[in-house]
Amino acid sequence: MGDTENEAGRVVATDYVKLVSNDDHEFILKRSHALTSGTIKAMLSAPSSFNSNEMSKVQFREIPSHVLCKVCMYFAYKNRYTNSTSEIPEFPIEPEIALELLMAANFLDC
């Protein structure tokens, strides 16, 4: 059984989170990947009015989609290479977004 399936083998909405950028682009990713961020982890662990069977949604009013996309890519990269015994490739960062990405990483604690 995969990490996103319940006992019946179905994908469960609570195994994913939706991150929304300030320009309303939505990124759906595995909850385990999103928890790379201390900030997102704290947001998702706070008591909320969400139905426990619904996908959690986190809105970022200060992060544009081109930066949030790169952050999501980093979450997957981090998840893939944490505790890896193989050679870890460099994570590519375009110089044009380096400052915005640094500010987002600082805010997201990742």
Side-chain angles (χ1 to χ4, degrees):
M1 179 169 28
D3 62 345
T4 60
E5 299 172 353
N6 64 11
E7 293 81 25
R10 290 182 295 232
V11 174
V12 182
T14 56
D15 291 336
Y16 290 86
V17 295
K18 183 185 296 185
L19 307 182
V20 184
S21 65
N22 67 357
D23 46 353
D24 292 325
H25 283 84
E26 298 178 347
F27 299 88
I28 298 173
L29 62 153
K30 288 183 178 181
R31 177 179 289 269
S32 61
H33 290 195
L35 295 179
T36 299
S37 161
T39 302
I40 293 174
K41 187 175 189 175
M43 292 171 147
L44 294 177
S45 66
S48 69
S49 60
F50 290 114
N51 181 333
S52 62
N53 294 325
E54 293 179 3
M55 185 182 311
S56 299
K57 177 180 173 181
V58 181
Q59 178 84 41
F60 295 104
R61 293 187 180 97
E62 301 295 323
I63 303 177
S65 60
H66 68 279
V67 174
L68 192 55
C69 179
K70 196 65 162 182
V71 167
C72 292
M73 291 169 64
Y74 174 73
F75 291 161
Y77 169 89
K78 174 84 172 167
N79 188 271
R80 164 66 179 90
Y81 291 107
T82 296
N83 301 323
S84 176
T85 57
S86 63
E87 185 174 339
I88 300 173
E90 184 175 321
F91 183 75
I93 298 173
E94 297 77 18
E96 305 82 39
I97 68 164
L99 181 58
E100 289 177 292
L101 192 58
L102 179 63
M103 292 182 346
N106 185 51
F107 171 72
L108 294 171
D109 188 27
C110 60

